Amino acid sequence: MRLTDCYNFHDFRRMAKQRLPGPIFDYIDGAADDEVTYRRNTAAFENCDLVPDVLRGVADVDMSVTVMGQKLKMPVYCSPTALQRLFHHQGERAVAAAAGKHGTMFGVSSLGTISLEEARQISDGPQVYQFYFHKDRGLNREMMARAKTAGVQAMMLTVDSITGGNRERDKRTGFAIPFKLNLAGMTQFAIKPSWAIDWLTHERFRLPQLENHVKMDGGALSISRYFTEMLDPSMSWNDVAEMVQAWGGQFCLKGIMSVEDAKRAVEIGCTGIVLSNHGGRQLDGSRSAFDQLAEIVDAVGDRIDVMMDGGVQRGTHVLKALSLGAKAVGLGRYYLFPLAAAGQPGVERALETMRTEIERGMKLMGCTSVSQLTRRNLRFRS
């Protein structure tokens, strides 16, 4: 399968599956428990119909939006995700360059495989730093200080991951960083030698944001252990309020799902929230962000930038979220599969595909700007 054969999310996913060893593909593709929420995230969009207007003069379409003080040329962004150089040797470098080329936002994770500083050098476009709240408060302070020095405009604190989700696909293969695979996992690597050659012929795998605080050479740091042992389950609203004040700029909470929590985010001075269930990777059985979007926008949408992610595979999904009041929509697996399949060209093709779908969809909806997308253009199935 070639990149030119990829026209949608499912094509990119198939190409990534052909290239990646099973344990790595499953790390991207998998979710918690029975993966009910993972499936629900995309299915939620199917219960919503678009009602287009016609004869509106749509020769020119402006799909730009402003989120947390940053102007994006299109209303989607690349959500920060972990371990990207595990999927392809270019990792975050490819995503930063592709996002910069398309004028949209991307982010580096606490578990990112290039440094904040390098990412900032690759693209001076809109960027967030996604971080977790660690038991080591000094590490939390260091992360914020590094982001400030690097010139990152917005902080994004993930609040739905104080402990790791039950990702059973990873357990079956023994997936961990560094690799500590069981026999089934090693067999999967053996039958995908091209990935192994790629891995062995490029620079050493690192976690630059954590390497001064986490020893990677003495035993395996499993992703589950990182969440369970390093993150602080006692994190409270008071802790976050202190961080918001210390940062003194654009500050976003990722993982908000209830109206009450959205209101608290406004009260402590946050400028953005992302409705998210972590791609179904944490609490299985939780609602989809799209299903929660309308009531949260109604409660706080005039006081804080409301974004969402989870299950977004089409430009029409984005149009539906924007019509409900989302300021922008985050992409995760949508760009990770093309990254794994083809590096930077893959991410660029995926973002260009999404841009084309959004533009086409807006024209077919009779809209020339994102502000014209409203709930008047939606109907929900009972």
Side-chain angles (χ1 to χ4, degrees), residues 206-249:
R206 299 169 54 215
L207 296 176
Q209 278 64 248
L210 294 176
E211 59 190 1
N212 293 332
H213 302 268
V214 178
K215 291 185 178 179
M216 295 286 291
D217 52 355
L221 170 69
S222 73
I223 303 306
S224 176
R225 261 191 58 214
Y226 170 79
F227 285 112
T228 303
E229 297 179 14
M230 289 196 66
L231 302 191
D232 191 349
S234 70
M235 176 175 61
S236 69
W237 283 102
N238 289 336
D239 294 318
V240 178
E242 291 178 5
M243 299 184 82
V244 172
Q245 186 174 19
W247 176 251

Side-chain angles (χ1 to χ4, degrees), residues 307-325:
M307 295 158 278
M308 66 142 287
D309 65 29
V312 178
Q313 299 177 2
R314 285 288 188 183
T316 49
H317 295 166
V318 176
L319 298 183
K320 291 173 183 181
L322 297 173
S323 297
L324 283 182

Side-chain angles (χ1 to χ4, degrees), residues 135 181 276:
K135 293 176 181 176
L181 300 163
S276 175

Side-chain angles (χ1 to χ4, degrees), residues 96-114:
K101 182 175 179 179
H102 283 83
T104 194
M105 186 167 70
F106 76 102
V108 175
S109 167
S110 296
L111 286 164
T113 54
I114 70 169

Side-chain angles (χ1 to χ4, degrees), residues 37 75 80 159 168 213 229 286 324 339 374:
T37 295
V159 293
E168 293 175 355
H213 302 268
E229 297 179 14
S286 64
L324 283 182
L339 169 66
T374 69

Side-chain angles (χ1 to χ4, degrees), residues 249-289:
Q250 300 286 344
F251 199 105
C252 175
L253 299 185
K254 179 179 179 290
I256 297 294
M257 288 293 285
S258 72
V259 168
E260 181 181 355
D261 284 347
K263 290 179 176 177
R264 289 292 297 274
V266 173
E267 290 170 2
I268 66 170
C270 293
T271 55
I273 54 174
V274 180
L275 312 191
S276 175
N277 55 41
H278 218 94
R281 296 161 73 81
Q282 287 297 99
L283 178 66
D284 197 30
S286 64
R287 293 258 295 170
S288 77

Side-chain angles (χ1 to χ4, degrees), residues 82-115:
L83 309 180
Q84 290 180 19
R85 286 194 57 245
L86 188 62
F87 317 140
H88 189 279
H89 70 268
Q90 293 178 322
E92 291 90 345
R93 295 176 182 127
V95 179
K101 182 175 179 179
H102 283 83
T104 194
M105 186 167 70
F106 76 102
V108 175
S109 167
S110 296
L111 286 164
T113 54
I114 70 169
S115 70

Side-chain angles (χ1 to χ4, degrees), residues 12-216:
F12 291 122
R13 181 179 179 274
R14 279 193 293 272
M15 189 172 175
K17 190 171 185 178
Q18 288 178 356
R19 178 180 178 271
L20 291 176
I24 297 179
F25 175 82
D26 282 336
Y27 174 73
I28 302 174
D29 193 55
D33 293 350
D34 298 310
E35 303 188 354
V36 171
T37 295
Y38 178 18
R39 296 188 295 273
R40 182 179 293 161
N41 282 345
T42 299
F45 293 102
E46 298 174 7
N47 294 322
C48 177
D49 296 334
L50 293 167
V51 182
D53 294 320
V54 297
L55 303 175
R56 292 300 196 272
V58 292
D60 298 311
V61 170
D62 178 10
M63 65 179 74
S64 65
V65 295
T66 299
V67 180
M68 294 188 294
Q70 304 184 87
K71 186 168 183 178
L72 317 185
K73 290 184 179 179
M74 57 182 184
V76 295
Y77 62 93
C78 296
S79 294
T81 57
L83 309 180
Q84 290 180 19
R85 286 194 57 245
L86 188 62
F87 317 140
H88 189 279
H89 70 268
Q90 293 178 322
E92 291 90 345
R93 295 176 182 127
V95 179
K101 182 175 179 179
H102 283 83
T104 194
M105 186 167 70
F106 76 102
V108 175
S109 167
S110 296
L111 286 164
T113 54
I114 70 169
S115 70
L116 280 169
E117 294 80 5
E118 183 180 356
R120 189 73 281 184
Q121 291 172 359
I122 294 170
S123 171
D124 60 0
Q127 182 179 341
V128 298
Y129 175 46
Q130 175 269 333
F131 69 113
Y132 296 102
F133 192 84
H134 297 84
K135 293 176 181 176
D136 182 349
R137 304 302 171 90
L139 175 55
N140 295 332
R141 289 190 294 271
E142 178 186 305
M143 285 183 166
M144 288 207 299
R146 278 188 69 173
K148 183 79 75 175
T149 302
V152 174
Q153 299 96 329
M155 296 294 286
M156 181 179 284
L157 175 65
T158 296
V159 293
D160 63 356
S161 303
I162 54 173
T163 190
N166 180 36
R167 302 173 193 175
E168 293 175 355
R169 292 204 217 180
D170 295 345
K171 291 180 177 179
R172 291 190 182 97
T173 60
F175 179 84
I177 302 296
F179 295 131
K180 191 177 182 181
L181 300 163
N182 58 28
L183 181 60
M186 287 187 286
T187 301
Q188 290 293 314
F189 276 77
I191 62 177
K192 296 292 176 69
S194 63
W195 180 92
I197 293 170
D198 204 36
W199 172 266
L200 293 171
T201 55
H202 288 90
E203 68 194 89
R204 181 178 63 87
F205 183 87
R206 299 169 54 215
L207 296 176
Q209 278 64 248
L210 294 176
E211 59 190 1
N212 293 332
H213 302 268
V214 178
K215 291 185 178 179
M216 295 286 291

